[in-house]
Amino acid sequence: MCDWIVVPRPLAEKTHQATGLFASCLLPGRGKPLRNQAVISEKGKIVYVGACTSIPAEYAKVDLQHVPVLMPGMWECHAHFFGASPKRPIDMQNMALGNPIEAGARNARALKDTLYAGFTSCVDLGGYAPELQNVIDEGLLLGPTLYGAGAAISMTGGHGDVFEVSYASARQRLSVNAPGADAGMSGVILADGLEECRKAVRLNLRRRAKIIKVLTSGGITSRDDDPMLQQFSDEELETIVSEASRMGLVCAAHAVGKAGILAAIRAGFKVIEHDSFGDDEVYEEMKKHDVMLVATITPIRSILDNEDKYPREMFEKAKVVAQAHLKAYKDAIKAGVKCAIGSDLFGGIGTVLSPGLNGGEVVYAVEAGMTPLKAIEAATANGPESLGRQGPKSGQIRVGYDADFIALSQNPLDDMEVLRSPKNITHIWKSGKLVKAPGLDPWEALDR
Ligand SMILES: [Zn+2]
């Protein structure tokens, strides 16, 4: 029935366990918007998309809830569920060496805020996602579906090392081989030489990693390294890629400077994260080898706009790369490099880099030159492609795909700013189940 029911009936009154929606405007994720479409899902998968008049007989009695605008739940392709403290500086020490019990508790809130911002799937590139996903699977936590890297792999003295503490302290928590080290207890792991690199991949496999993240250049959040220089030798990078690909996993590189980007592409990485200094040569190589870009504009903008909220060294580094980073993103889009959306929100809850601020990154994609429709595609359909063979059928409203949807009060194609504010995302369904709606308590949503 194409009636305009705003609140779905309780399940007990339904004649069918399927969920039905009727969208005045449907953004399918890939492709042009469609008018007046019915979408029916069952057991977490989409079973019908099309006109109300053509609904198969078995679903003819399913109530259709009307929404003005419907699109796939978005994909956050560069998350960090570190569980950083909002009371401490936004730095590597806070991210990598915090109390893991406190981190877990904070992550419960971070997951809910990310989901309620419209992101039903997250690729965590260093953090506690594998363990959090276990608890989500138990039905005890409300959050996106997580595809975790486990610990991001760094060399000693590299971007993942914590320069603020002694080597002994960093090693105790983060090294592959140090006594007492536990790769399940941090979002970063330090590895040096071929054997340790291989072991770092295997420790992440043990945590059910869905992607392997490697830091192939220096970075901005790490105090003492140089973003322009390559980290890890070519042989170490090749070892990591060969070990990961044998297990069906793609590798994503944190790579800011050109040296680290090209080294990653040479070694067989499939995703470049950040890219502040890419040029025509880089983008030709990326296209030739089917390498995707996740540009992460959000932290650069946040650091520049909030100088007093970040450590001095981080601000100085961000200032140097900012202009180049924005230009690189524009050039990559112009060159036709395939992009997914990632906001790299590594701060604590309520900070200027808080989980839940994810939607801003889609706005920045349009500012960098994507059409609004391409930006939606980058935020939805392109997301699972960044996981290679591990990518699920998700990010599109098509039969057989995951029934993850968001309903909006306004059309983001008219104004992309709509996606920046979670309040504009009025309803969210994850695996066909309503998890956000006006008046719906998150804990109740969990128990429905
Ligand atoms: Zn990151």
Side-chain angles (χ1 to χ4, degrees):
M1 297 179 293
C2 270
D3 49 6
W4 297 62
I5 299 164
V6 176
V7 181
R9 291 182 206 161
L11 280 177
E13 290 177 30
K14 285 189 175 172
T15 52
H16 208 288
Q17 291 297 306
T19 302
L21 300 168
F22 176 73
S24 300
C25 175
L26 177 79
L27 307 177
R30 182 162 288 155
K32 294 208 173 92
L34 302 164
R35 307 294 306 176
N36 300 329
Q37 295 287 294
V39 179
I40 297 175
S41 58
E42 191 173 32
K43 295 181 185 153
K45 299 285 175 196
I46 299 168
V47 293
Y48 177 78
V49 183
C52 289
T53 46
S54 307
I55 293 174
E58 59 185 305
Y59 301 114
K61 289 191 174 161
V62 175
D63 292 334
L64 299 180
Q65 176 179 351
H66 172 253
V67 294
V69 183
L70 189 73
M71 61 180 270
M74 291 184 281
W75 272 71
E76 165 58 75
C77 287
H78 193 128
H80 284 295
F81 290 101
F82 286 123
S85 165
K87 300 285 183 204
R88 291 176 44 206
I90 304 175
D91 61 13
M92 284 306 293
Q93 196 172 353
N94 190 356
M95 286 181 252
L97 295 179
N99 180 322
I101 309 292
E102 290 178 6
R106 291 188 198 106
N107 274 325
R109 172 66 186 266
L111 288 169
K112 177 253 177 194
D113 286 358
T114 306
L115 178 67
Y116 276 26
F119 290 79
T120 51
S121 302
C122 279
V123 181
D124 177 290
L125 292 177
Y128 293 104
E131 292 71 31
L132 294 166
Q133 183 60 46
N134 289 341
V135 186
I136 290 171
D137 287 343
E138 290 168 358
L140 301 175
L141 264 184
L142 194 63
T145 304
L146 303 176
Y147 302 87
I153 305 173
S154 169
M155 64 179 207
T156 299
H159 175 53
D161 205 341
V162 183
F163 296 100
E164 292 84 352
V165 302
S166 70
Y167 173 57
S169 302
R171 181 180 148 83
Q172 182 68 22
R173 278 284 295 277
L174 306 180
S175 169
V176 164
N177 283 324
D182 187 337
M185 298 303 277
S186 179
V188 174
I189 191 164
L190 300 179
D192 302 287
L194 305 190
E195 286 314 309
E196 288 193 8
C197 285
R198 207 185 320 271
K199 184 157 182 193
V201 174
R202 291 179 182 177
L203 284 169
N204 282 321
L205 274 174
R206 203 170 179 278
R207 294 174 67 187
R208 295 198 296 165
K210 302 292 182 213
I211 186 168
I212 296 297
K213 165 81 174 303
V214 186
L215 313 176
T216 71
S217 84
I220 291 170
T221 49
S222 40
R223 196 187 64 189
D224 297 339
D225 64 355
D226 186 342
M228 301 305 284
L229 302 181
Q230 174 182 338
Q231 297 190 350
F232 285 115
S233 67
D234 287 350
E235 294 74 23
E236 287 171 317
L237 296 178
E238 282 159 17
T239 298
I240 290 170
V241 170
S242 116
E243 193 65 21
S245 53
R246 202 156 48 76
M247 295 296 147
L249 303 180
V250 299
C251 292
H254 155 104
V256 175
K258 187 175 173 182
I261 299 171
L262 287 178
I265 298 170
R266 271 199 309 273
F269 282 64
K270 286 297 172 193
V271 193
I272 298 295
E273 311 287 332
H274 313 306
D275 168 34
S276 301
F277 294 94
D279 57 13
D280 290 349
E281 182 192 359
V282 163
Y283 302 135
E284 279 312 306
E285 287 296 301
M286 288 180 75
K287 285 192 289 181
K288 195 162 119 197
H289 298 286
D290 288 326
V291 178
M292 290 178 73
L293 173 65
V294 179
T296 68
I297 298 295
T298 301
I300 299 274
R301 292 281 291 255
S302 175
I303 296 170
L304 293 182
D305 292 347
N306 301 281
E307 182 177 348
D308 58 322
K309 302 277 197 313
Y310 289 89
R312 188 80 227 152
E313 299 84 358
M314 208 188 286
F315 177 75
E316 293 300 333
K317 277 187 171 186
K319 232 173 34 179
V320 173
V321 305
Q323 287 312 318
H325 194 105
L326 297 172
K327 179 181 181 306
Y329 195 16
K330 286 181 184 168
D331 290 348
I333 291 168
K334 219 179 284 169
V337 172
K338 187 176 250 189
C339 298
I341 294 294
S343 56
D344 200 4
L345 293 164
F346 48 78
I349 298 288
T351 66
V352 289
L353 216 49
S354 174
L357 299 174
N358 315 64
E361 190 70 28
V362 197
V363 179
Y364 301 144
V366 174
E367 287 178 7
M370 280 189 214
T371 64
L373 204 56
K374 277 285 167 200
I376 298 274
E377 183 173 347
T380 55
N382 290 1
E385 294 177 12
S386 73
L387 292 172
R389 278 161 47 193
Q390 300 293 327
K393 280 179 130 184
S394 168
Q396 297 188 57
I397 301 185
R398 290 174 60 179
V399 170
Y401 278 61
D402 289 346
D404 296 342
F405 315 115
I406 61 176
L408 301 110
S409 53
Q410 299 166 63
N411 192 339
L413 294 182
D414 297 334
D415 179 8
M416 201 53 70
E417 286 287 339
V418 167
L419 292 177
R420 195 194 285 274
S421 173
K423 75 173 175 0
N424 296 324
I425 294 151
T426 57
H427 298 71
I428 300 177
W429 293 263
K430 189 185 157 201
S431 299
K433 187 175 134 179
L434 187 67
V435 291
K436 180 185 180 186
L440 177 62
D441 179 84
W443 289 108
E444 273 175 36
L446 204 53
D447 290 337
R448 279 160 58 90

